Amino acid sequence: MIVPCILSGGIGSRLWPLSRKDRPKQFLPIFDGESLFQKTLLRVAGDAFADPIVIGNHDHRFLIGEQLAEAGRSASAILLEPIGRNTAAPAAMAALLAAEQNPDALVLLLPSDHMIEREDQFLEAVTNAVPAAEAGRIVTFGITPQEPNTGYGYIRLEQGTDPVRDVAAFVEKPDAERAKAFLADGNYVWNAGIFLYSAKAMIAAFETHQPELMADIRAALETRSADLDFIRMDPEAFARIGNISIDYAIMERATGIACVPMAPGWDDLGSWSAIWGVLKKDADGNSGLGDTRFLNSENCLAYADEGLVSVIGLSDVLVISTRDSVLVAHKDKAQDVKKIVEALEKEGRREADAHPRSYRPWGWTERINAGERFSVQSMMIKPGKGLTLQSHLHRAEHWVVVSGTVEVTIDGKAEYLTENQSAYVPLGARHKLFNPGKIPVRMIEVQSGTYLDEDDIQRHG
């Protein structure tokens, strides 16, 4: 049985303002109500696959848990990275975790932010790769190029027509002329960053080619501890791990690397123009997500987080509207969105990193308005979930229940509140919330005080 390892790190800043650090592109439910992360989970849900290992950033842990539940999947492990690292460390950690159960286990390492339209062809490619992986070879998957794209790394294959080909070399992203030559040659494929290997083979490759890196990876993994459904590692031990890709660390050094070429309708969706390319379109080539309208326009993409977005008399334009930000760009300039994000980060703008909605293990909060000494937000508490006992040093809170029934405890006194009822929490009072019902609780919270940031919380067990 194959153990999938899904890499859910990354930000996808070129999909701003929808993709941000606290909710990156792989978690955006814009593909028929599913996210790329969920599509990846479901792609490897068949009988040939074990429950996946998920490796992601600790800031996204609740998103990971929420979307696993929505997809009806369980993870064998959710390993949280204290800081971002490239793909070498996850590849080795997945091998070490799988080897604890079975040294001969096969690991399928795959990113969580890729679109694959023809999943049957992808699964056929994985099946074709299994004998080579069982024989101890590290197998990568290459995408048969449809155009001389300069945005991808390439893999040069040895001559042949077998489903599994020998790899001659890994090639950096080319310029336009070299990309055209690669396409004409016919023995070059795009590097998809997907790998199949036995745990034993990958561990041996790291011990041979990256012994110091492997020692640091082992040391970090030995510090792991369970926290709810997650596995944490010591941040200082993890920070000692080199920030290097699996290609540089292993693939360009090891021998006997194999590749399975495939054409499953793959795209890494690295820009809004790429998103437009995979969405359904009207007769004029326009794609709309949310409440959108087009008039005398063609080949445009509009996204409405809430409210209505109308596009009139435009061609090849992107209009992305969220609660707190709007992006308007020509499709040819979609890659430059990253420059806007970088400028916003330098200015310290919240819009670069954080969505108005923040997910929690018990539900979510969504910012409505804020000003000097006040903040207003909407809250959702899941059935059977609640906020732990806490107090604030610098703010008071006022709650109004919009729907559902919530148990409110303030300084030891508990009461039930229902629709249109309210409660006041004085500064310093110990309080907690719990949803005892069968439906989500929706509330409005008004905070007032001299300091309103989330680190003004004292927890009391």
Side-chain angles (χ1 to χ4, degrees):
M1 188 171 287
I2 298 170
V3 180
C5 178
I6 299 174
L7 307 182
S8 66
I11 298 169
S13 59
R14 283 184 289 267
L15 294 184
W16 183 88
L18 201 56
S19 178
R20 307 188 194 182
K21 285 183 179 179
D22 67 352
R23 190 171 57 170
K25 72 172 182 176
Q26 62 268 27
F27 299 116
L28 303 176
I30 59 176
F31 304 97
D32 298 322
E34 293 178 338
S35 69
L36 292 173
F37 175 71
Q38 290 172 319
K39 286 185 173 294
T40 305
L41 286 170
L42 297 173
R43 191 175 302 134
V44 291
D47 294 339
F49 300 98
D51 285 340
I53 298 168
V54 179
I55 301 180
N57 190 287
H58 78 285
D59 290 339
H60 305 149
R61 60 195 182 279
F62 301 132
L63 277 171
I64 292 171
E66 182 86 12
Q67 297 208 349
L68 275 163
E70 289 177 357
R73 296 299 312 275
S74 298
S76 63
I78 303 174
L79 192 64
L80 302 179
E81 295 181 314
I83 55 175
R85 279 293 177 262
N86 216 313
T87 51
M93 288 182 172
L96 291 167
L97 289 173
E100 291 177 355
Q101 305 301 319
N102 177 9
D104 295 314
L106 297 185
V107 176
L108 179 64
L109 188 77
L110 64 168
S112 63
D113 58 355
H114 292 178
M115 174 66 80
I116 292 180
E117 294 181 355
R118 296 183 289 276
E119 296 190 349
D120 57 334
Q121 294 191 26
F122 169 75
L123 295 174
E124 181 181 356
V126 173
T127 299
N128 290 336
V130 166
E134 290 178 334
R137 301 185 73 179
I138 300 174
V139 185
T140 186
F141 295 82
I143 306 300
T144 304
Q146 305 299 313
E147 60 182 6
N149 196 300
T150 61
Y152 301 132
Y154 284 70
I155 302 171
R156 179 163 61 87
L157 306 177
E158 299 286 5
Q159 295 281 350
T161 58
D162 292 338
V164 181
R165 306 269 293 276
D166 293 333
V167 171
F170 287 82
V171 184
E172 294 288 337
K173 296 176 183 178
D175 58 26
E177 290 303 313
R178 290 186 73 206
K180 291 178 182 177
F182 292 169
L183 187 64
D185 182 280
N187 288 309
Y188 287 82
V189 291
W190 293 334
N191 187 349
I194 303 172
F195 305 92
L196 182 71
Y197 51 85
S198 73
K200 182 166 56 179
M202 185 59 78
I203 291 170
F206 268 88
E207 298 288 10
T208 300
H209 300 288
Q210 297 288 345
E212 293 183 5
L213 178 63
M214 189 59 165
D216 289 337
I217 291 170
R218 286 184 183 275
L221 201 57
E222 287 173 0
T223 69
R224 71 186 190 268
S225 60
D227 176 13
L228 299 176
D229 296 329
F230 310 109
I231 299 174
R232 294 182 180 273
M233 292 172 284
D234 177 72
E236 292 184 5
F238 190 86
R240 287 191 283 270
I241 297 174
N243 190 19
I244 183 172
S245 72
I246 184 65
D247 287 341
Y248 286 130
I250 300 298
M251 307 305 287
E252 296 182 2
R253 302 168 185 263
T255 58
I257 303 297
C259 179
V260 177
M262 61 180 182
W266 172 91
D267 200 311
D268 71 349
L269 299 182
S271 68
W272 279 114
S273 58
I275 296 288
W276 170 84
V278 302
L279 293 176
K280 295 177 182 177
K281 301 171 182 63
D282 65 17
D284 296 315
N286 300 307
S287 294
L289 295 169
D291 194 1
T292 58
R293 300 290 186 275
F294 299 94
L295 178 64
N296 298 327
S297 298
E298 59 184 10
N299 301 323
C300 294
L301 169 63
Y303 173 87
D305 191 13
E306 58 180 48
L308 170 67
V309 171
S310 298
V311 180
I312 302 174
L314 297 177
S315 300
D316 300 306
V317 167
L318 310 166
V319 182
I320 314 300
S321 174
T322 67
R323 168 168 284 190
D324 63 348
S325 300
V326 176
L327 167 72
V328 180
H330 194 279
K331 282 199 323 214
D332 289 347
K333 300 298 182 182
Q335 297 292 338
D336 291 341
V337 173
K338 187 175 183 178
K339 296 179 181 179
I340 291 290
V341 177
E342 291 171 350
L344 292 173
E345 289 176 337
K346 289 180 181 178
E347 296 171 19
R349 293 290 295 261
R350 180 184 177 90
E351 295 92 336
D353 299 331
H355 278 271
R357 179 173 291 188
S358 298
Y359 288 87
R360 302 287 190 264
W362 44 263
W364 50 256
T365 63
E366 187 166 27
R367 198 169 63 253
I368 297 174
N369 197 4
E372 187 176 356
R373 295 181 62 91
F374 81 91
S375 176
V376 183
Q377 62 183 8
S378 174
M379 300 173 61
M380 187 277 285
I381 305 174
K382 301 175 189 175
K385 300 291 185 179
L387 285 70
T388 57
L389 187 65
Q390 58 190 260
S391 62
H392 306 290
L393 293 174
H394 302 286
R395 74 173 187 245
E397 295 175 338
H398 186 194
W399 299 320
V400 179
V401 179
V402 177
S403 61
T405 298
V406 62
E407 182 184 17
V408 177
T409 303
I410 301 173
D411 282 338
K413 181 182 178 181
E415 62 177 324
Y416 290 96
L417 300 182
T418 59
E419 186 174 327
N420 290 325
Q421 293 183 318
S422 63
Y424 173 69
V425 183
L427 186 150
R430 296 190 178 194
H431 58 277
K432 64 179 180 179
L433 295 168
F434 179 73
N435 179 359
K438 301 296 184 182
I439 63 172
V441 167
R442 296 293 300 271
M443 301 172 57
I444 299 296
E445 178 183 75
V446 179
Q447 303 174 352
S448 59
T450 57
Y451 185 83
L452 303 175
D453 286 350
E454 283 303 301
D455 55 357
D456 179 35
I457 294 180
Q458 289 186 315
R459 302 195 185 276
H460 306 284

